[in-house]
Amino acid sequence: MKIAIIGAGAMGGAVAEGLLKSHVVKPSDVVVANPHDDKLKRFAEMGASITTDNKAAAEGADLVAIVVKPWLVEQVVREIKPVFNPRKQLLANMAASIKSSQIIEWMESKELALFQIIPNIAIAERASMTLIVPVGASAGQTHAVKEVFDDLGETLITDEAHLGAGTTLASCGIAYAMRYVRAASEGGVELGFKADLAKDIVLQTLKGAVALLQANGNHPEAEIDKVTTPGGLTIRGLNEMEHAGFTSAVIRGLKAAL
């Protein structure tokens, strides 16, 4: 599959980087477009084609992914429309809050096979949680797109009604996870560890928590119960966090980003 990435900012760059490390897409089949070529050089060094012309990138690609800020999506869609063939090409929008109906209106095509795709920046390391919403796409087209993103982490096929919730859990959520890492690392410094060592301890601890939950499928509280000895240190720490509103703060943060 030949893939065009339009936009080489933080997310577009992460998507391009992940694709260039992919096991199912060849670097020579990836083209990255950006108006300023200073962001493109590293992708050329990784084997991608690069261009400052969005239409040149879109023409001939099997999948055209628009990965720009939401307020630029309409401009990009209208720019590539003259060279985009909806009978042969697939379109992916990776900008949050842009409805599929808007893109269909801008593209002016009832034949459009559109995918609303929300990854997170861990896609650069092929470790994203990516939500995919097919709109007007066949089962075969959906399978082809999912196969690409399955190689870049985990995917979930969902509907547009759940895309906002998925965005705050997975795309915004990675920032929330990193904020916990920062907070715990700073706590580790106060407890006496050097900053880098504290961060390494926190990262491996989180990695272990994820591995346990993925391996056994348990509810997190079931694993917490295993390490909360009556009258012990862990339950004291957990209760102090709850007194400060830990769970409530997480839920409120997720809802605020919806």
Side-chain angles (χ1 to χ4, degrees):
M1 179 180 284
K2 294 183 178 180
I3 301 176
I5 306 296
I6 297 180
M11 183 58 76
V15 172
E17 188 173 343
L19 285 170
L20 291 168
K21 297 174 182 176
S22 171
H23 295 154
V24 300
V25 177
K26 296 184 294 185
S28 59
D29 284 338
V30 177
V31 57
V32 186
N34 196 70
H36 308 293
D37 60 8
D38 57 319
K39 292 185 177 181
L40 295 174
K41 295 176 182 177
R42 69 186 184 103
F43 303 118
E45 292 170 356
M46 296 175 72
S49 299
I50 59 173
T51 180
T52 57
D53 186 335
N54 291 339
K55 288 194 290 185
E59 195 168 11
D62 298 307
L63 173 65
V64 179
I66 299 174
V67 201
V68 298
K69 298 298 184 184
W71 57 86
L72 293 174
V73 174
E74 180 179 2
Q75 175 185 323
V76 172
V77 169
R78 294 192 184 281
E79 182 182 1
I80 67 172
K81 183 171 65 174
V83 300
F84 186 87
N85 186 342
R87 295 181 180 180
K88 296 181 178 180
Q89 295 175 281
L90 309 176
L91 185 66
N93 166 54
M94 295 189 186
S97 77
I98 300 296
K99 302 293 186 184
S100 61
S101 57
Q102 293 175 288
I103 296 175
I104 292 168
E105 179 184 344
W106 297 330
M107 190 59 80
E108 297 179 335
S109 173
K110 296 180 179 180
E111 298 177 300
L112 183 65
L114 172 66
F115 292 87
Q116 298 277 70
I117 301 178
I118 299 294
N120 62 39
I121 57 172
I123 199 168
E125 298 302 323
R126 299 174 56 240
S128 177
M129 179 65 240
T130 301
L131 285 88
I132 302 173
V133 177
V135 180
S138 68
Q141 291 168 328
T142 301
H143 175 78
V145 170
K146 186 176 186 298
E147 185 177 35
V148 170
F149 287 91
D150 278 345
D151 188 59
L152 304 178
E154 299 288 334
T155 65
L156 174 67
I157 300 291
T158 186
D159 55 39
E160 199 153 11
H162 289 88
L163 195 58
T167 298
T168 191
L169 277 172
S171 188
C172 303
I174 198 167
Y176 307 151
M178 289 178 180
R179 181 57 60 87
Y180 170 79
V181 171
R182 190 192 79 172
S185 299
E186 289 179 352
V189 173
E190 188 170 341
L191 294 172
F193 289 105
K194 291 185 177 181
D196 286 346
L197 183 55
K199 183 184 73 173
D200 290 343
I201 292 170
V202 173
L203 289 176
Q204 181 57 39
T205 302
L206 280 179
K207 185 178 179 180
V210 171
L212 274 174
L213 294 174
Q214 288 183 330
N216 58 34
N218 283 348
H219 190 284
E221 283 301 320
E223 295 300 323
I224 289 172
D225 286 345
K226 295 178 183 178
V227 295
T228 46
T229 305
L233 302 176
T234 305
I235 192 62
R236 292 181 190 177
L238 285 170
N239 284 345
E240 190 63 28
M241 289 180 187
E242 289 303 327
H243 289 319
F246 181 81
T247 297
S248 177
V250 171
I251 295 170
R252 289 179 64 182
L254 290 169
K255 292 170 70 175
L258 184 61

